[in-house]
Amino acid sequence: MVTRFYFLSKKMAEDLTIPKEGSKEEMYESLYPQLKALTEDEPDLIANMANIASALKEAFGFFWVGFYRVVGDQLVLGPFQGPVACTRITFGRGVCGKAWKEKQTVIVPDVDLFPGHIACSSLSRSEIVIPVLNDGDVRAVLDVDSDVVNSFNEVDALYLEKIASLLKF
Ligand code: SME
């Protein structure tokens, strides 16, 4: 089965095709070139963050997908898909703050076992956060939450890092 969904860009409707029954790798392999094509001619950071969040939510059915941008000494909520979320996160705090501070992807198999986890929703059970870098500086993070424990592994880390690197600052 193939699921089609549509994006409206300034030029035209974009049709992304995702194999819903493939392996995680197959789904990311299918999604990545489509996201690359969708973002490469669009210089606006927020527009590209918005479409990436939408595509990941639609393709994988994650509970929450979104970006926080680095603004001064805080992360500020950016484009996202899912329930309303915490607006600001301090450097080093929570999973997002840890990914920012350490400049590394953080996978949390069970949020209840992560000291300092910031629970924007009690339904979130596992999480992955990818730092989005530009010239060695973290400019944003991509946060993906699941309502099931153990949802994320190195495959997600690999492809989400690749997807995050599509963003231009
Ligand atoms: N759980 C995150 C906060 C952001 S929400 O999950 C959307 C954290 O601990 O940093």
Side-chain angles (χ1 to χ4, degrees):
M1 191 183 83
V2 160
T3 299
R4 290 174 186 281
F5 52 100
Y6 297 87
F7 290 102
L8 291 175
S9 76
K10 64 185 175 191
K11 291 183 208 146
M12 58 186 187
E14 306 279 353
D15 177 2
L16 296 195
T17 306
I18 308 299
K20 283 280 186 187
E21 287 163 8
S23 67
K24 199 183 254 193
E25 287 93 338
E26 286 169 336
M27 290 171 70
Y28 279 119
E29 283 290 342
S30 167
L31 187 59
Y32 176 75
Q34 298 180 76
L35 282 177
K36 187 169 186 298
L38 184 67
T39 54
E40 63 190 358
D41 292 330
E42 176 51 66
D44 191 275
L45 176 68
I46 300 298
N48 288 331
M49 285 178 163
N51 265 342
I52 288 172
S54 172
L56 288 170
K57 179 93 161 77
E58 288 291 323
F60 292 96
F62 294 131
F63 177 68
W64 194 93
V65 183
F67 291 90
Y68 283 87
R69 291 174 305 121
V70 173
V71 181
D73 62 354
Q74 293 185 316
L75 290 169
V76 180
L77 184 63
F80 72 95
Q81 296 274 321
V84 294
C86 325
T87 311
R88 289 173 183 267
I89 297 173
T90 306
F91 184 70
R93 289 210 49 226
V95 188
C96 292
K98 181 181 166 77
W100 178 16
K101 187 174 179 180
E102 297 183 354
K103 295 189 179 181
Q104 284 194 340
T105 295
V106 180
I107 295 174
V108 178
D110 182 343
V111 297
D112 291 340
L113 303 179
F114 183 93
H117 172 256
I118 301 166
C120 294
S121 165
S122 60
L123 295 177
S124 176
R125 302 300 313 282
S126 58
E127 182 164 358
I128 183 170
V129 180
I130 289 90
V132 187
L133 289 108
N134 179 244
D135 289 337
D137 294 325
V138 178
R139 304 292 299 275
V141 301
L142 168 59
D143 182 11
V144 184
D145 289 23
S146 166
D147 56 4
V148 177
V149 291
N150 271 320
S151 287
F152 305 105
N153 58 25
E154 290 307 317
V155 173
D156 299 282
L158 178 75
Y159 284 99
L160 291 174
E161 284 168 11
K162 237 178 120 176
I163 289 169
S165 73
L166 293 171
L167 292 169
K168 300 169 283 285
F169 291 84

